[in-house]
Amino acid sequence: MYLITVLGNLLIMLTVISDAHLHTPMYFFLFNLSLADINFTSTTVPKMLMDIHTHCGVISYTGCLIQLYFFYLFGCLDSLLLTVMAYDRFVAICHPLHYTVTMNPQQSGLLVLLSFIISLLYSLVHCLMMSQLKFCSDVEIPHFFCDPPQLLKLACSDTSTNNILICFHGAIFGGIPVSLIIFSYTQIVSSILRVPTPCGRYKIFTTCGSHLTVVCLFYGTGMGVYLSSVYSDSTRRSAVASVMYTLVAPMLNPFIYSLRNRDIKMALGRILKRTP
């Protein structure tokens, strides 16, 4: 599954780079989303595979903080890129005459850069918060990676401030992107319903159907992880939910975009025809 995730997302990236028809803001964001997915999965899965192979699930305190930092970094980047892609679809469908001006290359690059900077700061704050906690010399984490909720349960010091800050950050960095995505698709659906012909409505919907599927998969599995950690004491259920979030969702994204997106399928066909 990990190899499929990496190879599938690399194929999407190579397709976007090699086909001039895909040099648009929408596929520029898709390129960065695929890159973020590869890094997000690589933060946890290779260490898990090594632990399974060596039968020795040991990680240092520093290594745990590093893993936590990159987990938050690329998880937040995924969320922000999906929000940016929703905004791109909103402008393209609801304000098509202003699209080339609003989503010019400079603006697109700025949105990706801003998403990366926000993700860096977000992960840094969480890493600094976790580094202030005190742990015993030997701690067993009932998970396949340094899961933040599990670390808070294992801390020997008071974690009330951390829990409050995590809820606060979750409301801002989770609630705001979801709200913006919902607003964008509310406006998109309203525009689709005003299209007079069924063929026109279908054509518009297919341009954002893949992105909407990925959004539901990403936030659906993420919400499953959150609910399993908050409302259930079962570490097994939490681990299974995390596998869906960290591995299954990034693995399915390339298939969703390649199977449901006509431009990607046509670009792949042109690349295969050029291959000797």
Side-chain angles (χ1 to χ4, degrees):
M1 290 175 67
Y2 176 66
L3 287 176
I4 292 172
T5 301
V6 174
L7 293 176
N9 282 286
L10 279 176
L11 181 61
I12 294 291
M13 293 169 63
L14 291 173
T15 303
V16 172
I17 290 174
S18 59
D19 196 291
H21 296 86
L22 301 182
H23 294 175
T24 62
M26 176 182 175
Y27 295 105
F28 172 69
F29 298 138
L30 177 59
F31 174 90
N32 285 279
L33 180 67
S34 296
L35 181 61
D37 277 340
I38 291 174
N39 287 298
F40 182 61
T41 305
S42 300
T43 301
T44 57
V45 176
K47 179 68 171 71
M48 176 188 70
L49 294 176
M50 187 178 69
D51 292 343
I52 293 173
H53 180 69
T54 60
H55 302 285
C56 180
V58 177
I59 188 169
S60 65
Y61 176 74
T62 303
C64 190
L65 287 179
I66 292 173
Q67 187 181 66
L68 182 73
Y69 177 80
F70 286 107
F71 176 79
Y72 273 120
L73 170 62
F74 294 112
C76 182
L77 185 58
D78 257 347
S79 176
L80 294 177
L81 286 174
L82 288 173
T83 307
V84 169
M85 292 174 76
Y87 173 69
D88 173 74
R89 292 298 85 205
F90 163 72
V91 176
I93 295 172
C94 300
H95 304 283
L97 298 179
H98 301 281
Y99 182 74
T100 54
V101 177
T102 305
M103 301 303 297
N104 57 67
Q106 292 78 16
Q107 182 78 3
S108 302
L110 182 62
L111 287 172
V112 171
L113 179 61
L114 187 61
S115 299
F116 184 71
I117 292 173
I118 292 173
S119 301
L120 278 174
L121 296 175
Y122 176 72
S123 57
L124 182 62
V125 169
H126 272 283
C127 195
L128 290 175
M129 285 166 46
M130 200 63 67
S131 66
Q132 302 303 311
L133 297 178
K134 295 181 180 179
F135 296 89
C136 300
S137 57
D138 293 316
V139 175
E140 182 177 350
I141 304 171
H143 218 291
F144 65 90
F145 70 100
C146 292
D147 187 39
Q150 299 297 333
L151 292 176
L152 290 177
K153 293 178 182 178
L154 297 171
C156 301
S157 54
D158 181 39
T159 60
S160 57
T161 304
N162 294 74
N163 286 320
I164 293 172
L165 288 174
I166 285 176
C167 291
F168 177 73
H169 288 155
I172 293 178
F173 293 97
I176 292 178
V178 170
S179 300
L180 291 174
I181 290 173
I182 292 174
F183 171 78
S184 297
Y185 274 100
T186 301
Q187 298 299 311
I188 289 171
V189 170
S190 177
S191 297
I192 291 174
L193 294 177
R194 290 197 296 267
V195 176
T197 62
C199 182
R201 287 196 293 267
Y202 177 77
K203 184 178 180 181
I204 295 174
F205 180 76
T206 54
T207 62
C208 54
S210 300
H211 176 257
L212 187 58
T213 305
V214 171
V215 167
C216 293
L217 184 64
F218 179 81
Y219 285 104
T221 53
M223 188 61 67
V225 172
Y226 175 77
L227 293 176
S228 65
S229 63
V230 173
Y231 297 105
S232 175
D233 293 330
S234 173
T235 55
R236 181 180 177 81
R237 289 181 181 178
S238 178
V240 170
S242 295
V243 169
M244 293 294 296
Y245 181 69
T246 60
L247 186 58
V248 176
M251 181 189 72
L252 293 179
N253 286 355
F255 292 99
I256 294 170
Y257 276 107
S258 61
L259 295 177
R260 292 180 57 89
N261 191 296
R262 186 180 62 180
D263 293 336
I264 292 289
K265 288 191 288 187
M266 292 176 63
L268 286 171
R270 286 191 290 267
I271 292 172
L272 291 175
K273 288 180 180 178
R274 292 199 302 263
T275 304

